[in-house]
Amino acid sequence: MSELHRLGNPRIIAIANQKGGVGKTTTTINLGAALVEAEQRVLIVDLDPQGNASTGLGIEVEDRIFTTYDLLLEDIDLGQVIHPTRAENLMIIPATVDLSSADIELISNEKRSFLLHDALRQTAMEHFELDYILIDCPPSLNLLTVNAMVAAHSVLVPLQSEFFALEGLSQLMLTIREVRQSANPSLGIEGVVLTMFDGRNNLSAQVEKDARDNLGDLVFKTLIPRNVRLSEAPSYSMSVLDYDPHSRGAEAYRALAREMIINHTPIAA
């Protein structure tokens, strides 16, 4: 399946939610690791100035000489900006706090919404034979997130299983529709994944019911549990699949990867 996919272009997925702390970076890292385990070649693009995906995959700040900032704003060789990680076939373009100024610098660029789109489609990208590109978006609907949506084939939305989880989701969906109307007509919704789910908690069950009642087939069957191992893994610069491959968190991201690979047609926004 992986070789067949490589005959075309990599599938580009923006992982976005303007709320912070909903599990975007955790999902990006661990979904990437799970896809690699399923024999896919994956590139993570860290588009968050906090650089947590970079840290979580062991890229030290002093080693981030070239970053997503350079990818967007400079004519940079991909070989200089794409870093290997300890997991074979999992690569990352890291980020630093420099990216926080990119929004201002992009405003005067007439191609400001298409810079990431063009960077990820340059001919040199074929050398890496990628199956998936996962973009870890910042916790806001700014120009960086718009760049991710213009570049992507679909958007994956992590949704925290807590009170007010659905609040603000309508604004994200509206942004996706606006991008479809203006710059990326084929942009779809990969799905909504419920994170930090606690099956012992009535609130988590109610959030799941509300999400499925309101969003229907957009919601993945897989639930990402609240899991200590998931929280611990980044401090060791590892995905949970490497840190504790038998943990509930690791099994959940494997299930999400399988569900994504099997159901590979994004739903229109």
Side-chain angles (χ1 to χ4, degrees):
M1 176 177 204
S2 178
E3 291 302 324
L4 286 174
H5 193 114
R6 281 181 206 138
L7 292 174
N9 297 316
R11 188 166 152 201
I12 304 175
I13 301 171
I15 299 174
N17 189 327
Q18 72 268 35
K19 282 190 174 184
V22 300
K24 282 192 301 297
T25 300
T26 298
T27 294
T28 304
I29 290 173
N30 293 299
L31 176 58
L35 287 167
V36 163
E37 202 175 81
E39 301 184 344
Q40 307 294 293
R41 286 174 62 84
V42 180
L43 171 66
I44 288 173
V45 179
D46 192 348
L47 208 61
D48 187 343
Q50 296 174 88
N52 290 336
S54 308
T55 303
L57 285 173
I59 310 300
E60 301 293 340
V61 174
E62 58 267 25
D63 293 328
R64 302 176 206 176
I65 299 169
F66 299 108
T67 66
T68 44
Y69 176 90
D70 301 289
L71 183 71
L72 290 170
L73 295 165
E74 305 291 340
D75 185 17
I76 187 75
D77 180 80
L78 286 171
Q80 292 181 287
V81 77
I82 294 179
H83 289 244
T85 70
R86 68 173 69 193
E88 189 177 0
N89 294 328
L90 180 62
M91 294 153 273
I92 186 168
I93 300 178
T96 63
V97 71
D98 290 349
L99 195 59
S100 59
S101 66
D103 244 21
I104 298 170
E105 296 181 50
L106 289 174
I107 288 173
S108 60
N109 191 317
E110 61 183 27
K111 294 189 69 178
R112 57 186 172 271
S113 298
F114 289 86
L115 294 175
L116 185 60
H117 172 282
D118 294 348
L120 295 180
R121 284 166 174 80
Q122 54 186 295
T123 306
M125 191 63 78
E126 294 174 7
H127 168 75
F128 297 94
E129 298 183 313
L130 298 168
D131 294 299
Y132 285 86
I133 298 176
L134 305 180
I135 307 171
D136 187 26
C137 295
S140 60
L141 297 177
N142 61 11
L143 199 45
L144 291 173
T145 301
V146 170
N147 258 269
M149 290 183 184
V150 172
H153 297 114
S154 60
V155 180
L156 174 64
V157 184
L159 194 69
Q160 190 176 5
S161 303
E162 293 193 355
F163 199 54
F164 293 136
L166 295 174
E167 191 177 90
L169 196 59
S170 59
Q171 184 58 50
L172 176 62
M173 295 299 184
L174 180 61
T175 301
I176 292 170
R177 289 191 187 101
E178 288 173 348
V179 169
R180 290 183 76 224
Q181 289 167 4
S182 62
N184 186 1
S186 61
L187 181 65
I189 308 288
E190 190 70 33
V192 174
V193 58
L194 291 167
T195 62
M196 306 178 198
F197 188 87
D198 186 346
R200 303 163 299 178
N201 187 326
N202 289 336
L203 179 57
S204 284
Q206 186 60 51
V207 170
E208 180 187 8
K209 181 180 184 304
D210 289 348
R212 296 194 190 280
D213 287 347
N214 283 281
L215 301 169
D217 291 341
L218 281 178
V219 183
F220 281 100
K221 293 181 177 66
T222 301
L223 302 170
I224 307 300
R226 189 176 289 280
N227 179 248
V228 173
R229 296 305 198 195
L230 273 175
S231 303
E232 290 175 345
S235 63
Y236 292 89
S237 299
M238 301 168 75
S239 75
V240 72
L241 284 84
D242 292 318
Y243 178 64
D244 188 347
H246 303 295
S247 64
R248 290 193 307 127
E251 292 294 350
Y253 278 107
R254 286 190 188 100
L256 180 63
R258 285 195 299 270
E259 196 174 348
M260 272 184 52
I261 291 169
I262 292 168
N263 303 318
H264 61 272
T265 305
I267 299 171

